[in-house]
Amino acid sequence: MARFYESVSRTFSEYLLVPNLTTKECYTENVQLKTPLVKFKKGSTPDISLNIPFVSAIMQSVSNETLAVALAKCGGVSFIFCSQPILEQTEMVRKVKKFKAGFVISDSNVKADDSLEDIIVLKEKSGHSTMAVTHDGASNGKLLGIVTGRDYRLSRDSRDTKVKEFMTPFNRLITGELGISLKKANDIIWSHKLNCLPIIDGEGNLVYLVFRKDYDDHKENPNEMLDNEKRYIVGAGINTRDYTERVPALIEAGADILCIDSSDGFSQWQEDTIKWVKDKYGNSIKIGAGNVVDAEGFRYLAESGADFVKVGIGGGSICITREQKGIGRGQATAVSEVAEARDRYFDETGEYIPICSDGGIVHDYHMVLALAMGADFIMMGRYFARFDESPTKVIKLGNNYVKEYWGEGSNRARNWQRYDSGDSPVMKFEEGVDSYVPYAGKLSDNLGKTLSKLKSTMCSCGSTNIKNLKKTARITLVSSTSIIEGGTHDVILKEKSEY
């Protein structure tokens, strides 16, 4: 007969955190949210750590280049969705990697004999208002001048006006010499009230641009996720079908970390994919795997070489895997069991493999519960789909503004590659739905509020970092009536207009 698990399959909503002693060290400004993203050996540090414990889901309606940049600024990482052609996915990755805090290679360049119309077309394509004028229109050509949005007026200037007639010429530019430090370049920008400082070599060729806004952005976003070249860190999803073509293209485009997108990760298809990546690239390329819901699934992927393991099947707000196939497990139970398996594996091997809780988050306090139960970081789709930076448009539905949100297991996504069944390339039934989520505005505004709640809750639990939270958090199971008691009850709420 089948094997029965003795424990009940439970969700985050069935638990509450019990306060611990809040010491004088427990104040929100003192809480550190840094957490490992990839595996590491005992006594060493991980090659990549998150500055906040959040990553965005590998979904068409969530993770594109704009969300990846916004989340990296705040300290998290996005995984660009893979249910699209390889060239389109790699282009999204390249766009993220072009954002660089400091010395930037100019990728919007014109020639002196180009026209204002050429400027307009390039601006619409690149989104850049500052453009270098070089002798050959190349990013490393001899610098002749700079064009900004202040150099022309579309209402008055003819579209066929030559660039050389309205650009700021080289003899009026303040420039820096190649080899200058970023601090010195920023000092020049501030002392001369510049928005952009071109960096040139000894022969007058353009090498880099340094922007005032990059300095400002860094000061406003101290948790930025940056690589060794001060570019934003970005992840990319892959599948177990075309990885031999997709992975090399993503690596060439600059992806910092990969993750297999699948509804069920306890599979030989994932083992083959991980081992192919590791055999070809060694430890230089990081790859996450999943999803799993028990100790055996974790162990299988850990021994296959995964750099992190995703936990959760059927807990996402748009996922209907449990309804369709009867497959899955309550997210709280899955995370806690896999966390125990992760710790046992660490004791046995000296290798710590981070786990990612994927799904089941309804309220912000569920995030703290996930971390307290052993997750190192959390992957979210619905949460990020609500923001300006996600790929979908804002729609008015009745009296409310919403954004579209659909699962990778829905017919709309047409993402049959995520199902490791090894048979014909067709989706025979859906495991996700097509829906809406309430529009919430900018990512940074909403994420800031969420992080404040998370830090405050951790302080109530007596912890100032995630590692300590896992060790000392106290959790209680709640009854259905105590859940009701925890919400608003026995009062008549005022309408907001009465305030």
Side-chain angles (χ1 to χ4, degrees):
M1 61 179 291
R3 170 187 170 189
F4 285 81
Y5 284 78
E6 293 183 5
S7 61
V8 176
S9 177
R10 298 193 181 277
T11 69
F12 294 135
S13 291
E14 296 176 76
Y15 293 94
L16 287 175
L17 292 149
V18 176
N20 233 326
L21 175 66
T22 302
T23 67
K24 292 180 180 179
E25 293 181 351
C26 294
Y27 54 93
T28 55
E29 291 80 4
N30 198 37
V31 175
Q32 299 295 316
L33 297 177
K34 192 159 188 163
T35 190
L37 178 59
V38 297
K39 67 184 178 184
F40 59 95
K41 293 285 188 181
K42 186 176 183 178
S44 63
T45 56
D47 289 341
I48 308 175
S49 291
L50 294 162
N51 291 326
I52 62 172
F54 299 152
V55 298
S56 67
I58 310 169
M59 300 175 69
Q60 294 173 6
S61 55
V62 179
S63 297
N64 66 343
E65 71 274 17
T66 53
L67 189 103
V69 169
L71 185 52
K73 280 185 178 181
C74 295
V77 168
S78 284
F79 286 87
I80 302 294
F81 68 92
C82 56
S83 52
Q84 60 177 321
I86 294 173
L87 288 177
E88 293 179 15
Q89 188 186 19
T90 55
E91 183 57 27
M92 286 186 180
V93 171
R94 286 192 178 92
K95 286 179 179 178
V96 179
K97 300 306 289 187
K98 284 178 182 177
F99 282 83
K100 183 177 180 181
F103 297 104
V104 179
I105 296 175
S106 178
D107 61 356
S108 293
N109 309 287
V110 294
K111 300 188 293 292
D113 288 329
D114 287 341
S115 66
L116 177 55
E117 178 67 23
D118 296 319
I119 294 283
I120 295 168
V121 171
L122 184 55
K123 182 179 179 181
E124 290 177 351
K125 181 180 179 181
S126 67
H128 300 153
S129 58
T130 298
M131 301 177 189
V133 185
T134 59
H135 79 286
D136 59 356
S139 60
N140 58 355
K142 188 175 183 63
L143 184 63
L144 303 180
I146 292 287
V147 172
T148 72
R150 296 174 298 177
D151 293 320
Y152 56 86
R153 296 181 66 180
L154 296 179
S155 60
R156 294 190 179 185
D157 296 328
S158 172
R159 302 264 178 139
D160 59 5
T161 304
K162 299 295 185 185
V163 169
K164 60 187 176 186
E165 296 179 33
F166 58 84
M167 71 181 186
T168 301
F170 180 81
N171 59 11
R172 289 172 49 197
L173 292 176
I174 295 172
T175 62
E177 294 184 1
L178 183 62
I180 189 174
S181 69
L182 184 58
K183 182 181 184 304
K184 179 63 175 175
N186 282 319
D187 287 344
I188 294 173
I189 286 174
W190 282 95
S191 61
H192 292 277
K193 299 180 179 179
L194 305 174
N195 287 321
C196 174
L197 178 70
I199 307 298
I200 58 175
D201 63 18
E203 298 178 356
N205 296 313
L206 178 65
V207 184
Y208 300 114
L209 298 175
V210 179
F211 291 94
R212 175 193 288 262
K213 65 178 179 64
D214 287 341
Y215 176 87
D216 293 338
D217 279 350
H218 182 63
K219 291 299 180 184
E220 292 173 4
N221 301 287
N223 287 324
E224 286 178 314
M225 287 291 294
L226 303 174
D227 65 15
N228 293 332
E229 298 178 36
K230 294 187 182 252
R231 301 172 301 174
Y232 289 135
I233 288 177
V234 62
I238 63 171
N239 59 64
T240 58
R241 304 281 181 154
D242 64 5
Y243 58 89
T244 58
E245 295 83 29
R246 191 174 293 268
V247 169
L250 289 168
I251 292 171
E252 190 276 330
D256 298 281
I257 184 168
L258 308 173
C259 183
I260 303 172
D261 177 37
S262 175
S263 62
D264 176 13
F266 195 1
S267 128
Q268 290 183 337
W269 304 104
Q270 289 217 7
E271 179 187 21
D272 290 345
T273 303
I274 296 167
K275 289 187 174 179
W276 184 89
V277 170
K278 293 300 182 180
D279 287 345
K280 187 172 178 63
Y281 298 101
N283 199 42
S284 64
I285 300 302
K286 311 299 182 182
I287 178 171
N291 287 18
V292 298
V293 292
D294 65 0
E296 291 172 83
F298 169 83
R299 189 86 185 200
Y300 185 83
L301 293 178
E303 293 176 348
S304 296
D307 289 290
F308 70 84
V309 174
K310 281 204 298 159
V311 181
I313 294 176
S317 60
I318 41 69
C319 184
I320 55 173
T321 296
R322 296 181 194 174
E323 293 179 17
Q324 293 282 52
K325 297 168 62 177
I327 295 284
R329 203 175 193 190
Q331 190 67 6
T333 302
V335 168
S336 57
E337 179 174 315
V338 172
E340 290 177 1
R342 184 265 324 278
D343 293 344
R344 286 196 299 272
Y345 188 83
F346 178 62
D347 290 339
E348 294 172 19
T349 66
E351 188 171 64
Y352 187 92
I353 300 178
I355 62 172
C356 168
S357 177
D358 179 16
I361 301 295
V362 180
H363 305 292
D364 286 353
Y365 79 88
H366 288 171
M367 302 173 189
V368 186
L369 276 168
L371 297 171
M373 290 178 178
D376 295 281
F377 58 98
I378 303 161
M379 177 173 280
M380 295 182 288
R382 181 190 60 85
Y383 179 86
F384 290 112
R386 304 173 299 145
F387 302 143
D388 285 324
E389 294 85 354
S390 73
T392 61
K393 293 180 181 180
V394 178
I395 300 170
K396 189 171 185 181
L397 189 66
N399 294 322
N400 300 309
Y401 287 96
V402 298
K403 297 196 77 175
E404 291 183 297
Y405 179 50
W406 61 92
E408 289 298 296
S410 66
N411 278 327
R412 179 172 183 174
R414 298 183 181 279
N415 187 11
W416 62 266
Q417 295 98 329
R418 74 194 304 266
Y419 299 102
D420 301 326
S421 56
D423 54 8
S424 60
V426 64
M427 182 180 288
K428 297 180 176 65
F429 58 90
E430 289 186 291
E431 292 188 39
V433 299
D434 201 340
S435 64
Y436 298 104
V437 289
Y439 168 63
K442 288 179 61 178
L443 179 147
S444 58
D445 294 341
N446 288 275
L447 186 58
K449 184 181 293 186
T450 294
L451 292 174
S452 294
K453 287 183 187 179
L454 194 153
K455 291 179 179 180
S456 180
T457 305
M458 287 176 63
C459 287
S460 293
C461 292
S463 297
T464 57
N465 59 68
I466 294 171
K467 185 176 181 180
N468 181 258
L469 177 71
K470 293 176 185 177
K471 292 180 178 179
T472 62
R474 301 189 295 173
I475 299 171
T476 182
L477 191 65
V478 296
S479 68
S480 58
T481 51
S482 66
I483 293 173
I484 296 171
E485 179 186 63
T488 304
H489 60 89
D490 301 317
V491 295
I492 300 172
L493 292 178
K494 292 181 180 181
E495 297 290 337
K496 288 187 178 180
S497 59
E498 294 182 34
Y499 285 69

